[in-house]
């Protein structure tokens, strides 16, 4: 399951540099997470780094992008293979 950022985001910019897949970017009003790049840090860390550093706890799991640990690992492998 990918993560997403709610409108409670305060644009503090601490989450973006923590994402090992580059899934987080500044949107029109708040930061956004690309579900095609979000692996919840599977393959990199035990816990999602953006969730760990978010001071307002506005990064829940995205019910619109449900994925198993195995699917997240496959996505991680695809992303890292593409980066070479």
């Amino acid at each position: 399951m990918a993560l997403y950022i709610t409108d409670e985001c305060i644009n503090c910019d601490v989450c973006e540099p923590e994402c090992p897949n580059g899934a987080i970017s500044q949107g029109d009003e708040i930061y956004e997470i690309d579900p095609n790049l979000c692996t919840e840090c599977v393959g990199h860390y035990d816990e999602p780094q953006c969730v760990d550093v978010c001071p307002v706890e506005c990064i829940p799991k995205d019910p619109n992008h449900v994925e198993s640990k195995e699917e997240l690992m496959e996505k991680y492998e695809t992303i890292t293979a593409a980066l070479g």
Side-chain angles (χ1 to χ4, degrees):
M1 182 176 288
L3 303 170
Y4 77 103
I5 299 174
T6 69
D7 60 3
E8 295 168 347
C9 175
I10 59 171
N11 290 312
C12 66
D13 192 39
V14 297
C15 61
E16 183 181 23
E18 296 300 318
C19 182
N21 296 326
I24 301 174
S25 61
Q26 178 65 50
D28 291 337
E29 295 182 28
I30 60 173
Y31 279 86
E32 298 175 348
I33 297 177
D34 181 343
N36 296 315
L37 295 175
C38 179
T39 63
E40 292 186 44
C41 290
V42 167
H44 294 284
Y45 302 102
D46 292 333
E47 299 292 327
Q49 299 300 287
C50 61
V51 173
D52 285 348
V53 299
C54 181
V56 293
E57 299 179 5
C58 67
I59 309 176
K61 293 182 182 233
D62 187 346
N64 296 317
H65 295 95
V66 177
E67 297 167 293
S68 68
K69 271 279 209 231
E70 292 78 22
E71 289 171 314
L72 291 170
M73 182 56 85
E74 287 176 24
K75 190 192 304 186
Y76 159 77
E77 290 169 355
T78 300
I79 291 168
T80 55
L83 294 174

